[in-house]
Amino acid sequence: MCGIVGYVGGQEAREVLIDGLKRLEYRGYDSAGLALGSGKDLLIIKEVGKVEDLERMLQKVPAGYHQGIGHTRWATHGGVSQANAHPHKDGKGQFALVHNGIIENFSELREELERKGVVFLSETDTEAIVHLVATSFSRTGDILETLVYLQKRLRGTFALALMQQGLPDRIYTIRRGSPLVLGSGNGEAFCASDIPAFLPYTRRIQYPEEGDIAEISPGGIRIWDEKGRPVERSVVTVDWDVSMTEKSGFSHYMLKEIHEQGTVLRRSLKGRVVDGKTMISGELGWNVEMVSKWKKVHIVACGSSYYSALVAERLLEKWTDLEIKVDIASEYRYRHVACDPTTLAVFVSQSGETADTLAALRKARAAGAHCLAITNVRGSTLAREVHSVLLLKAGPEIGVAATKSFTGQLAALFLVALQLGSMRGILAPHEEERLVNELIRIPYKVELLLEKDGEIKEIARKYAQNKNMLFIGRGMSFPVAQEGALKLKEVSYIHAEALAAGEMKHGPIALLEPGVPVLAVIPKDSLYEKTLSNIQEIKARNASLIAVCTEGDRFVPEQAGSVIETPWTDEEFTPFLSVIPLQLLSFHIALILGREIDQPRNLAKSVTVE
Ligand code: F6R
């Protein structure tokens, strides 16, 4: 979705802004632009295309602009055009504004402004905001009053950054429903949709709350609530460093992030399991009395995060006595689910900003559920609106396709399931100890598996030209098959479908023909023999088969044209390992096909609109 960055300070603003926009490219966009202020003039440069195109256009602009706002646009209202790109300005060119989000009452506002003689130059909802700012400011002459008024008039979600001609050391922001972070350095200040945008310059962050108005200036950051009352928001120093946002010698972020998974898992478990016991109740603020009141667990998420939740569903069924329901956030938010104070509602989201997941959270919270966020972003909207948070320790994920956040989520959900099982007295201490002991071995096994990158690249060559692929798995391996199919679709654009292996003969088996390979996720687990017979049915129809199986398996390799072996682990842990070859296979197929792997077409990293 759209990305925003703003800067005021001693550096050349365009350099900081272009750098910031490049770091936000992962969000997906179709046009880019920036506004620069020097005190004398307010310059707007914007174009359809890449940030590099914008950078070339800026070469003609002289130095001396120390204030600016930048934007990458992902079209919602109005097509992809130069006129619709941000920043937008008012009729007199006094204000420039960038926006991420959607203004729901924009048609109404546009009509009202047009009746007053305002001329619109674009089809965007954003332009209505900047005209509203200008008309209100001409009445009041007070920017804070204008921004308070703006909040009353706008319906929908927005993160805005605004600058005014002749005010070269101030940028104003408002955040409601869309992500925005503020950063302060020495004699300079920043705002952005996401921390990596200004991570090379500062790690001192403030997270504005819903409705907050901020003034960022070289002297510091001042914040007011939506009514214009001054408020304090704590400054947090993030432990991400800039190398985490770079490719570090890898050709793509996706590949780098796949290879980081051993480290991510180690970081995620550190201090959270001690001497065979799960130790996250303190972090979550849970006690036995509270946990024993819960009767149900709802887990809600989208995309890959939903697939990690499906793995957790199977663990919770085994290790707790709770009634478990897992749903896609865009469905859950509109269903008549029985959610009440006896419900633990878990929201899984890498970004913590997914609009549907946030809506589902607000619904569960209003129904009295205890809400837990599993997210990678401290200070994200999700993290701020729940009762408890378990942070992934994945570091920034830049590739649009989720990889390390998926395994990070698996680890976090494992810990939650273990903690619930032991606190409710269902999971016996010796069983917990066995599970924890295997859990801490998983990072090493993941790293062993990553050494098979070359082997998987060879397999990718055999299948890259197919137009369709089916993924099958049972039990814990079904969500893994779903995640594998999603990865392939996203980065290679090959049509892929995942099926519970036992469902094949209820219809999908009709799809089998040459050119439709089947990838079977078949670790040595309690359902191994069942999946093996499904594989035989597939082979009997001459389909080509790729198998992800456990090392030492004697039967599967006899059936499959290509085999990727994973180290042995207990059934519960197989998703951590089986998913790795699927990520690598998708990556290599996409590479062979010349796809834009880190920013696949039509996709955005963080889906902040419904
Ligand atoms: C898939 C992918 C998406 C996200 C989904 C939810 O590779 O990245 O399916 O998993 O958009 O995003 P979060 O986890 O940020 O809520």
Side-chain angles (χ1 to χ4, degrees), residues 301-307 348-355 357 374-377 382 392 397 399-403 405-406 409 483 486-487 490-491 603-607:
C302 303
S304 293
S305 302
Y306 169 68
Y307 298 136
V348 189
S349 171
Q350 186 283 131
S351 60
E353 300 294 349
T354 301
T357 310
I374 298 204
T375 179
N376 198 25
V377 185
L382 185 67
L392 309 183
E397 188 175 65
V400 165
T403 52
S405 64
F406 178 78
Q409 284 166 352
E483 173 60 5
L486 178 62
K487 285 290 88 79
E490 281 181 300
V491 298
L603 293 182
K605 180 72 182 161
S606 168
V607 184

Tab-separated table of all heavy atoms in Angstrom, residues 301-307 348-355 357 374-377 382 392 397 399-403 405-406 409 483 486-487 490-491 603-607, ligand 1:
chain	number	residue	atom	x	y	z
A	301	ALA	N	-6.549	-14.295	11.138
A	301	ALA	CA	-5.397	-13.767	10.383
A	301	ALA	C	-5.716	-13.786	8.895
A	301	ALA	O	-6.792	-14.254	8.484
A	301	ALA	CB	-4.175	-14.640	10.666
A	302	CYS	N	-4.794	-13.306	8.080
A	302	CYS	CA	-4.941	-13.332	6.616
A	302	CYS	C	-3.703	-13.988	5.989
A	302	CYS	O	-2.610	-13.893	6.538
A	302	CYS	CB	-5.009	-11.919	6.041
A	302	CYS	SG	-6.312	-10.920	6.718
A	303	GLY	N	-3.894	-14.543	4.812
A	303	GLY	CA	-2.774	-15.026	3.986
A	303	GLY	C	-1.896	-16.018	4.719
A	303	GLY	O	-2.366	-16.956	5.373
A	304	SER	N	-0.591	-15.812	4.610
A	304	SER	CA	0.365	-16.733	5.236
A	304	SER	C	0.155	-16.798	6.743
A	304	SER	O	0.338	-17.852	7.364
A	304	SER	CB	1.797	-16.257	4.981
A	304	SER	OG	2.079	-16.364	3.632
A	305	SER	N	-0.210	-15.669	7.330
A	305	SER	CA	-0.421	-15.650	8.781
A	305	SER	C	-1.569	-16.594	9.147
A	305	SER	O	-1.558	-17.242	10.200
A	305	SER	CB	-0.731	-14.229	9.259
A	305	SER	OG	0.324	-13.378	8.916
A	306	TYR	N	-2.569	-16.672	8.263
A	306	TYR	CA	-3.692	-17.596	8.484
A	306	TYR	C	-3.200	-19.051	8.428
A	306	TYR	O	-3.621	-19.890	9.226
A	306	TYR	CB	-4.765	-17.312	7.429
A	306	TYR	CG	-5.859	-18.336	7.346
A	306	TYR	CD1	-6.773	-18.494	8.383
A	306	TYR	CD2	-5.987	-19.152	6.219
A	306	TYR	CE1	-7.792	-19.445	8.306
A	306	TYR	CE2	-6.997	-20.094	6.127
A	306	TYR	CZ	-7.894	-20.252	7.171
A	306	TYR	OH	-8.888	-21.189	7.096
A	307	TYR	N	-2.287	-19.321	7.503
A	307	TYR	CA	-1.794	-20.706	7.420
A	307	TYR	C	-0.992	-21.083	8.668
A	307	TYR	O	-1.055	-22.215	9.130
A	307	TYR	CB	-0.974	-20.927	6.142
A	307	TYR	CG	-1.815	-20.720	4.895
A	307	TYR	CD1	-1.338	-20.002	3.815
A	307	TYR	CD2	-3.112	-21.220	4.832
A	307	TYR	CE1	-2.130	-19.785	2.687
A	307	TYR	CE2	-3.911	-21.014	3.725
A	307	TYR	CZ	-3.416	-20.293	2.650
A	307	TYR	OH	-4.206	-20.089	1.551
A	348	VAL	N	-2.986	-12.874	14.359
A	348	VAL	CA	-1.627	-13.110	13.865
A	348	VAL	C	-1.408	-12.203	12.663
A	348	VAL	O	-2.157	-12.271	11.678
A	348	VAL	CB	-1.448	-14.594	13.443
A	348	VAL	CG1	0.018	-14.877	13.148
A	348	VAL	CG2	-1.977	-15.529	14.507
A	349	SER	N	-0.410	-11.339	12.755
A	349	SER	CA	-0.158	-10.424	11.635
A	349	SER	C	1.282	-9.953	11.681
A	349	SER	O	1.709	-9.356	12.669
A	349	SER	CB	-1.096	-9.218	11.741
A	349	SER	OG	-0.736	-8.241	10.807
A	350	GLN	N	2.020	-10.244	10.623
A	350	GLN	CA	3.414	-9.786	10.555
A	350	GLN	C	3.469	-8.286	10.755
A	350	GLN	O	4.183	-7.788	11.608
A	350	GLN	CB	3.988	-10.190	9.182
A	350	GLN	CG	5.459	-9.921	8.976
A	350	GLN	CD	5.824	-8.486	8.701
A	350	GLN	OE1	6.738	-7.945	9.347
A	350	GLN	NE2	5.128	-7.824	7.805
A	351	SER	N	2.690	-7.568	9.954
A	351	SER	CA	2.771	-6.099	9.955
A	351	SER	C	2.058	-5.479	11.155
A	351	SER	O	2.414	-4.388	11.589
A	351	SER	CB	2.119	-5.558	8.688
A	351	SER	OG	0.750	-5.952	8.646
A	352	GLY	N	1.020	-6.144	11.625
A	352	GLY	CA	0.191	-5.553	12.679
A	352	GLY	C	-0.665	-4.414	12.155
A	352	GLY	O	-1.235	-3.642	12.928
A	353	GLU	N	-0.779	-4.298	10.835
A	353	GLU	CA	-1.529	-3.187	10.247
A	353	GLU	C	-2.579	-3.659	9.251
A	353	GLU	O	-3.199	-2.845	8.579
A	353	GLU	CB	-0.579	-2.218	9.512
A	353	GLU	CG	0.490	-1.573	10.380
A	353	GLU	CD	-0.058	-0.623	11.451
A	353	GLU	OE1	-1.258	-0.291	11.406
A	353	GLU	OE2	0.724	-0.237	12.347
A	354	THR	N	-2.775	-4.962	9.098
A	354	THR	CA	-3.725	-5.464	8.107
A	354	THR	C	-5.147	-5.043	8.507
A	354	THR	O	-5.611	-5.359	9.609
A	354	THR	CB	-3.599	-7.004	8.017
A	354	THR	OG1	-2.253	-7.280	7.644
A	354	THR	CG2	-4.541	-7.598	7.001
A	355	ALA	N	-5.813	-4.339	7.589
A	355	ALA	CA	-7.103	-3.716	7.928
A	355	ALA	C	-8.131	-4.747	8.406
A	355	ALA	O	-8.823	-4.513	9.401
A	355	ALA	CB	-7.629	-2.953	6.715
A	357	THR	N	-7.668	-7.684	9.752
A	357	THR	CA	-7.293	-8.265	11.049
A	357	THR	C	-7.606	-7.268	12.164
A	357	THR	O	-8.089	-7.644	13.237
A	357	THR	CB	-5.799	-8.668	11.032
A	357	THR	OG1	-5.569	-9.444	9.858
A	357	THR	CG2	-5.415	-9.472	12.250
A	374	ILE	N	0.011	-11.535	17.811
A	374	ILE	CA	1.299	-12.126	17.469
A	374	ILE	C	1.767	-11.349	16.259
A	374	ILE	O	1.208	-11.483	15.163
A	374	ILE	CB	1.119	-13.627	17.187
A	374	ILE	CG1	0.621	-14.241	18.483
A	374	ILE	CG2	2.420	-14.240	16.666
A	374	ILE	CD1	0.852	-15.647	18.718
A	375	THR	N	2.719	-10.482	16.460
A	375	THR	CA	3.108	-9.563	15.388
A	375	THR	C	4.602	-9.315	15.398
A	375	THR	O	5.267	-9.496	16.426
A	375	THR	CB	2.332	-8.232	15.498
A	375	THR	OG1	2.762	-7.355	14.454
A	375	THR	CG2	2.541	-7.525	16.827
A	376	ASN	N	5.097	-8.867	14.256
A	376	ASN	CA	6.533	-8.582	14.129
A	376	ASN	C	6.837	-7.129	14.455
A	376	ASN	O	7.993	-6.756	14.523
A	376	ASN	CB	6.952	-8.900	12.678
A	376	ASN	CG	8.440	-9.061	12.526
A	376	ASN	OD1	9.141	-9.390	13.485
A	376	ASN	ND2	8.943	-8.808	11.338
A	377	VAL	N	5.800	-6.311	14.561
A	377	VAL	CA	6.062	-4.873	14.675
A	377	VAL	C	5.578	-4.323	16.014
A	377	VAL	O	4.381	-4.126	16.228
A	377	VAL	CB	5.461	-4.099	13.468
A	377	VAL	CG1	5.834	-2.633	13.543
A	377	VAL	CG2	5.941	-4.706	12.162
A	382	LEU	N	-2.049	-3.101	15.745
A	382	LEU	CA	-2.512	-4.334	16.389
A	382	LEU	C	-1.895	-4.460	17.787
A	382	LEU	O	-2.599	-4.722	18.770
A	382	LEU	CB	-2.121	-5.544	15.521
A	382	LEU	CG	-2.634	-6.896	15.993
A	382	LEU	CD1	-4.147	-6.974	15.875
A	382	LEU	CD2	-2.011	-8.032	15.197
A	392	LEU	N	7.169	-11.346	17.311
A	392	LEU	CA	8.072	-12.220	16.548
A	392	LEU	C	9.421	-11.559	16.630
A	392	LEU	O	9.503	-10.342	16.696
A	392	LEU	CB	7.700	-12.243	15.070
A	392	LEU	CG	6.278	-12.526	14.666
A	392	LEU	CD1	6.200	-12.555	13.154
A	392	LEU	CD2	5.855	-13.849	15.237
A	397	GLU	N	10.871	-7.556	7.599
A	397	GLU	CA	10.714	-8.438	6.432
A	397	GLU	C	10.381	-7.534	5.249
A	397	GLU	O	9.337	-6.885	5.230
A	397	GLU	CB	9.603	-9.456	6.681
A	397	GLU	CG	9.528	-10.516	5.590
A	397	GLU	CD	8.497	-11.593	5.931
A	397	GLU	OE1	7.294	-11.265	6.001
A	397	GLU	OE2	8.879	-12.742	6.148
A	399	GLY	N	10.899	-8.465	1.685
A	399	GLY	CA	10.298	-9.190	0.558
A	399	GLY	C	8.793	-9.252	0.779
A	399	GLY	O	8.354	-9.475	1.912
A	400	VAL	N	8.026	-9.041	-0.289
A	400	VAL	CA	6.570	-9.022	-0.118
A	400	VAL	C	6.064	-10.392	0.336
A	400	VAL	O	5.168	-10.488	1.174
A	400	VAL	CB	5.878	-8.525	-1.411
A	400	VAL	CG1	4.402	-8.846	-1.395
A	400	VAL	CG2	6.086	-7.020	-1.545
A	401	ALA	N	6.644	-11.449	-0.200
A	401	ALA	CA	6.197	-12.787	0.202
A	401	ALA	C	6.714	-13.104	1.609
A	401	ALA	O	7.914	-12.989	1.876
A	401	ALA	CB	6.713	-13.822	-0.787
A	402	ALA	N	5.814	-13.492	2.470
A	402	ALA	CA	6.198	-13.815	3.850
A	402	ALA	C	7.020	-15.104	3.863
A	402	ALA	O	6.615	-16.105	3.265
A	402	ALA	CB	4.941	-13.996	4.685
A	403	THR	N	8.159	-15.091	4.504
A	403	THR	CA	8.958	-16.322	4.655
A	403	THR	C	9.380	-16.452	6.116
A	403	THR	O	8.821	-17.241	6.864
A	403	THR	CB	10.203	-16.304	3.730
A	403	THR	OG1	10.917	-15.084	3.934
A	403	THR	CG2	9.804	-16.471	2.281
A	405	SER	N	8.792	-14.508	8.502
A	405	SER	CA	7.727	-14.178	9.459
A	405	SER	C	6.814	-15.385	9.642
A	405	SER	O	6.248	-15.578	10.718
A	405	SER	CB	6.925	-12.950	9.011
A	405	SER	OG	6.244	-13.211	7.817
A	406	PHE	N	6.676	-16.208	8.599
A	406	PHE	CA	5.830	-17.403	8.725
A	406	PHE	C	6.429	-18.360	9.764
A	406	PHE	O	5.736	-18.804	10.683
A	406	PHE	CB	5.692	-18.106	7.366
A	406	PHE	CG	4.878	-19.373	7.417
A	406	PHE	CD1	3.498	-19.324	7.455
A	406	PHE	CD2	5.500	-20.621	7.474
A	406	PHE	CE1	2.741	-20.495	7.531
A	406	PHE	CE2	4.759	-21.792	7.553
A	406	PHE	CZ	3.372	-21.728	7.574
A	409	GLN	N	6.172	-16.875	13.150
A	409	GLN	CA	4.809	-17.008	13.701
A	409	GLN	C	4.579	-18.425	14.219
A	409	GLN	O	3.957	-18.613	15.269
A	409	GLN	CB	3.779	-16.704	12.606
A	409	GLN	CG	3.642	-15.229	12.324
A	409	GLN	CD	2.898	-14.948	11.037
A	409	GLN	OE1	2.600	-15.850	10.245
A	409	GLN	NE2	2.602	-13.692	10.796
A	483	GLU	N	0.467	-23.006	2.303
A	483	GLU	CA	1.467	-21.943	2.291
A	483	GLU	C	2.383	-22.091	1.056
A	483	GLU	O	2.732	-21.104	0.409
A	483	GLU	CB	2.273	-21.977	3.604
A	483	GLU	CG	3.466	-21.057	3.691
A	483	GLU	CD	3.162	-19.560	3.536
A	483	GLU	OE1	1.997	-19.173	3.451
A	483	GLU	OE2	4.129	-18.784	3.475
A	486	LEU	N	0.561	-20.849	-1.986
A	486	LEU	CA	0.480	-19.379	-1.972
A	486	LEU	C	1.814	-18.773	-2.400
A	486	LEU	O	1.861	-17.836	-3.208
A	486	LEU	CB	0.077	-18.883	-0.578
A	486	LEU	CG	-0.008	-17.365	-0.415
A	486	LEU	CD1	-1.072	-16.764	-1.323
A	486	LEU	CD2	-0.292	-16.970	1.031
A	487	LYS	N	2.914	-19.332	-1.876
A	487	LYS	CA	4.240	-18.794	-2.227
A	487	LYS	C	4.454	-18.885	-3.736
A	487	LYS	O	4.921	-17.943	-4.360
A	487	LYS	CB	5.381	-19.557	-1.534
A	487	LYS	CG	5.603	-19.302	-0.084
A	487	LYS	CD	6.161	-17.946	0.254
A	487	LYS	CE	5.083	-16.931	0.443
A	487	LYS	NZ	4.339	-16.891	1.684
A	490	GLU	N	2.270	-16.329	-5.663
A	490	GLU	CA	2.683	-14.943	-5.456
A	490	GLU	C	3.914	-14.568	-6.248
A	490	GLU	O	3.960	-13.512	-6.860
A	490	GLU	CB	3.068	-14.738	-3.982
A	490	GLU	CG	1.960	-14.572	-3.043
A	490	GLU	CD	2.512	-14.361	-1.649
A	490	GLU	OE1	3.225	-15.246	-1.124
A	490	GLU	OE2	2.238	-13.317	-1.082
A	491	VAL	N	4.943	-15.405	-6.181
A	491	VAL	CA	6.212	-14.948	-6.757
A	491	VAL	C	6.446	-15.442	-8.173
A	491	VAL	O	7.210	-14.827	-8.910
A	491	VAL	CB	7.432	-15.266	-5.850
A	491	VAL	CG1	7.296	-14.548	-4.520
A	491	VAL	CG2	7.648	-16.748	-5.647
A	603	LEU	N	0.717	-6.803	-5.723
A	603	LEU	CA	0.725	-7.119	-4.283
A	603	LEU	C	1.327	-5.990	-3.461
A	603	LEU	O	2.186	-5.261	-3.926
A	603	LEU	CB	1.548	-8.386	-4.019
A	603	LEU	CG	0.987	-9.683	-4.556
A	603	LEU	CD1	1.886	-10.838	-4.164
A	603	LEU	CD2	-0.406	-9.922	-3.988
A	604	ALA	N	0.864	-5.892	-2.236
A	604	ALA	CA	1.431	-4.927	-1.296
A	604	ALA	C	1.805	-5.697	-0.037
A	604	ALA	O	1.139	-6.669	0.325
A	604	ALA	CB	0.402	-3.869	-0.962
A	605	LYS	N	2.863	-5.273	0.604
A	605	LYS	CA	3.331	-5.999	1.788
A	605	LYS	C	2.325	-5.907	2.932
A	605	LYS	O	2.095	-6.858	3.653
A	605	LYS	CB	4.681	-5.415	2.227
A	605	LYS	CG	5.285	-6.075	3.438
A	605	LYS	CD	5.794	-7.455	3.119
A	605	LYS	CE	6.360	-8.188	4.317
A	605	LYS	NZ	6.412	-9.627	4.067
A	606	SER	N	1.766	-4.708	3.044
A	606	SER	CA	0.900	-4.526	4.196
A	606	SER	C	-0.445	-4.024	3.660
A	606	SER	O	-0.501	-2.978	3.020
A	606	SER	CB	1.620	-3.526	5.090
A	606	SER	OG	0.827	-3.057	6.076
A	607	VAL	N	-1.499	-4.818	3.873
A	607	VAL	CA	-2.779	-4.505	3.240
A	607	VAL	C	-3.617	-3.677	4.220
A	607	VAL	O	-4.390	-4.205	5.006
A	607	VAL	CB	-3.491	-5.794	2.776
A	607	VAL	CG1	-4.777	-5.453	2.034
A	607	VAL	CG2	-2.582	-6.586	1.862
B	1	F6R	C1	1.964	-13.949	1.726
B	1	F6R	C2	1.754	-12.705	2.421
B	1	F6R	C3	0.366	-12.288	2.743
B	1	F6R	C4	0.303	-11.863	4.214
B	1	F6R	C5	-1.092	-11.277	4.522
B	1	F6R	C6	-1.224	-10.895	5.979
B	1	F6R	O1	3.291	-14.157	1.406
B	1	F6R	O2	2.683	-12.012	2.738
B	1	F6R	O3	-0.547	-13.304	2.475
B	1	F6R	O4	0.585	-12.965	5.001
B	1	F6R	O5	-1.320	-10.154	3.734
B	1	F6R	O6	-0.305	-9.921	6.335
B	1	F6R	P1	0.030	-9.642	7.843
B	1	F6R	O7	0.678	-10.863	8.387
B	1	F6R	O8	0.956	-8.464	7.833
B	1	F6R	O9	-1.269	-9.348	8.516
